[in-house]
Amino acid sequence: MLVTQQPVLRRFWYSIIPIANLTDSPQSFRLLGQNLVLWIDADGKPAAIDDRCCHRSAQLSKGVVIDGCVRCPYHGWSFSSEGYCVNVPQLDQAMIPKTYRVSAYHCTEKYGYVWVCLDDPIQPIPEIAEVNDPSFRFIPEFYETWNVGGLRGIENSFDSAHGHFVHASSWGDQANPVPPPIDEIIDTPDGFIMKHWLEVLNPDLQKKNLGIGTEKTIRTNERRWFMPFARTLRIQYPNGLTHLIFTAYTPIDDRATQVVQFCLRNDTEAEAKAADIIAFDRQVTEEDRAVLETTDYDAPLSLSEEQHMASDKPGILMRHRLAALLKQHGETEQRRK
Amino acid sequence: MLVTQQPVLRRFWYPILPIEQLVMSQPQSFQLLGQKIVLWLDAEGRPAAGVDRCCHRSAQLSKGVVINGCVRCPYHGWSFDQTGTCVNVPQLSDQSRIPESYKVQAYRCAERYGYVWVCLDEPLLPVPHIPEADDPKLRLIPQFYERWQCSGLRVMENSFDNAHFSFVHAASFGNQAQPVPVSSEMQPLEFGLQIKSRVPVVNPPAQQKNLQIAEATTIRQIESTWYMPFCRTLKITYPNGLMHLIFTAATPIDDRFSQIVQFCIRNDTEKDANAVDIIAFDRQVVSEDQVVLESTDFDTPLDINAEEHMASDQPGVIMRRKLAALLKEHGETEQRL
């Protein structure tokens, strides 16, 4: 599926950039092949419009923000968060033609990130209850570009059979490569919830991070898929510790993905340092990245094109749901020629 | 407009390479309008140009050597003269029996102003005539030879755009406090355009030295000439009589890239102003333009409706109309992505 060629994917919210990155200057981001400029408007709210001036096509993100409007670096035309041209230094301001405008997009802040939707949203931004729970702390983890298709990223997150190999250096137990069966999969309006458990190795760094001294431990996982490319993974350890990870594989274009990840924990900095928690998740994430970046970005929704096994069920369900979504919106799956 | 898809553009001369880059034994390669060409010095010491592919097994001739004024293919040693005729095949015992079909396409090639110029088809016009270049009282200073990720039309219209100084050149000579551009006198030419205007500019310390004008502001008397499709001269005369004439070409490499070729001609001496200092100031100005021009869409539309305009865009609008008329006259329509 070529994400840039499926218009319905423009109707989801995607986490784009940490809001703190917009403090000093406008920023650019490519979402589903569309170049955006992002900045903070006069009300202190994030704004997103096309990153091309309607005059001579210069990138607005190379300009500056003045009075909450983004000013083009070429001739100084300024645009509001609605994409209206509000200042043309070469003109009497009352005479700015209505055609001087660029497309604006839905844009808001949540969880410390700027979220954008390129068309009418069909789902709200994923709700993560623990964010509002004062017994949880919030730790930003990763923000980086991977050369991988979004579906490859998201199905990896629900695959209980790869850890034994890909994560053999961190937590995977290669001696026991058969994953236990999935307990339950519950469909939701915006994806599904998958429940399962897994016995994992507990290396020294994790002994410290988890406050668990044994060589192995059990993870009780609740994984939630938010269509199309975001998830939460709620890991429950036997001692009551919860490590909840949010990951978005925000689609930059057909070949590249922006990985946005943060975690929520019900322990304290005194119990486990955020730096150590990030260090372990860094290792795990790098292990995934190394293998995912070798895959074909044009991941097929059709099942007949690849081989499958029982533990692939979440990825298969994703393909079915995405294929149904396309059909419902009158689209067919677009592939590379 | 996609320059590689408009055959009439092959009928203009373009500066390709400083002549001193062609040393006796070493051929050079250049891509012009998407066509890869080999350049070398023939037996008379004149520049020659041909298709950079041997007609035998398609090797690049520019990876070979020049022997007796002919370029010799690195693969089997076939040699070609400046007309593209194969004059030596080492594997044939009788050189008089070289088949006539052993040849590569040769192109018109000439030296002017210290540069090699090439035309890929029957020329519509001679190489732009710059009388100041032949005046022995004036000095010619080669300035820039570099590849930009930008279309030629964007560079040309930028050269005639009085409204961008206040923003793009705010750090060098632009006056941001006066963004409304001065009007200019415009005269369309058969194959170009001439503009005269009087532009008040900031005169920073580096320029005070270069111009021998001590004031913090000065006036530029400007005469700009556009030579279709992608050359221009900008003749600046300062109140003290100093002339600074800039020639700039945006030679079209392919649809996305241009080779910037720039030199200047002055009526002062090295004692009055060091060439190094003159280049340093123009470097700053040109780099300011490069940053913004490289952010523009290379597929620059000739269709006026495809972008927004203001009064000071008139030269660029005329360029679009003249180029559209040129295409029409030669039975072409504008090719876009």
Side-chain angles (χ1 to χ4, degrees), chain A residues 70-82:
Chain A
V70 64
R71 193 182 76 178
C72 180
Y74 200 171
H75 300 86
W77 293 18
S78 285
F79 297 88
S80 70
S81 55
E82 292 89 32

Side-chain angles (χ1 to χ4, degrees), chain B residues 225-236:
Chain B
T225 308
W226 173 49
Y227 302 93
M228 271 173 110
F230 306 126
C231 294
R232 65 107 187 220
T233 51
L234 165 61
K235 186 175 175 178
I236 305 173

Side-chain angles (χ1 to χ4, degrees), chain A residues 54-55 57 71 75 99-100, chain B residues 161 176 295 297 308-309 313:
Chain A
C54 59
H55 177 223
S57 83
R71 193 182 76 178
H75 300 86
T99 55
Y100 285 21
Chain B
D161 169 12
Q176 201 154 11
S295 82
D297 185 356
E308 300 298 332
H309 310 277
D313 294 324

Side-chain angles (χ1 to χ4, degrees), chain A residues 1-11 14 29-35 118 148-151 228-229 250-257 297-299 326 331-337:
Chain A
M1 176 176 68
L2 298 175
V3 294
T4 64
Q5 294 177 36
Q6 309 287 177
V8 70
L9 297 182
R10 297 168 60 91
R11 300 187 60 184
Y14 298 98
F29 191 88
R30 192 171 162 90
L31 178 62
L32 289 167
Q34 175 74 51
N35 290 318
L118 296 175
V148 69
L151 181 53
F229 305 125
T250 296
I252 294 172
D253 54 25
D254 293 320
R255 294 164 185 266
T257 293
Y297 63 87
D298 185 15
L326 297 188
E331 298 178 25
T332 52
E333 184 193 3
Q334 301 298 303
R335 301 293 307 279
R336 187 175 54 218
K337 285 184 185 78

Side-chain angles (χ1 to χ4, degrees), chain B residues 3-154:
Chain B
V3 294
T4 63
Q5 294 176 37
Q6 309 288 175
V8 69
L9 298 181
R10 298 168 61 91
R11 301 187 60 184
F12 292 88
W13 286 97
Y14 300 96
I16 298 296
L17 181 80
I19 187 88
E20 70 267 16
Q21 287 194 17
L22 285 186
V23 290
M24 285 315 284
S25 63
Q26 183 58 55
Q28 299 289 332
S29 67
F30 191 87
Q31 192 174 169
L32 177 62
L33 289 166
Q35 175 70 57
K36 292 200 166 103
I37 56 183
V38 53
L39 299 144
W40 76 99
L41 292 178
D42 71 11
E44 266 108 61
R46 286 186 302 220
V51 169
D52 195 15
R53 278 218 178 288
C54 183
C55 58
H56 174 224
R57 287 292 177 274
S58 82
Q60 261 187 286
L61 298 175
S62 59
K63 302 242 191 272
V65 291
V66 178
I67 292 180
N68 298 330
C70 294
V71 63
R72 195 182 73 178
C73 179
Y75 198 174
H76 300 88
W78 294 19
S79 285
F80 298 87
D81 70 11
Q82 74 281 2
T83 68
T85 306
C86 182
V87 294
N88 190 275
V89 176
Q91 296 79 15
L92 280 184
S93 53
D94 183 353
Q95 296 302 314
S96 69
R97 297 186 50 189
I98 297 175
E100 277 175 25
S101 58
Y102 284 17
K103 64 181 303 186
V104 296
Q105 171 77 51
Y107 299 112
R108 286 169 186 77
C109 189
E111 189 273 329
R112 197 82 182 89
Y113 313 128
Y115 296 85
V116 178
W117 294 65
V118 169
C119 181
L120 296 176
D121 206 334
E122 194 73 43
L124 286 173
L125 291 171
V127 170
H129 177 54
I130 306 166
E132 291 82 355
D134 300 323
D135 184 338
K137 295 193 296 293
L138 305 177
R139 57 173 169 158
L140 189 149
I141 305 171
Q143 292 192 308
F144 312 119
Y145 179 72
E146 61 204 25
R147 201 167 88 130
W148 287 13
Q149 190 170 333
C150 174
S151 78
L153 181 51
R154 296 283 186 203

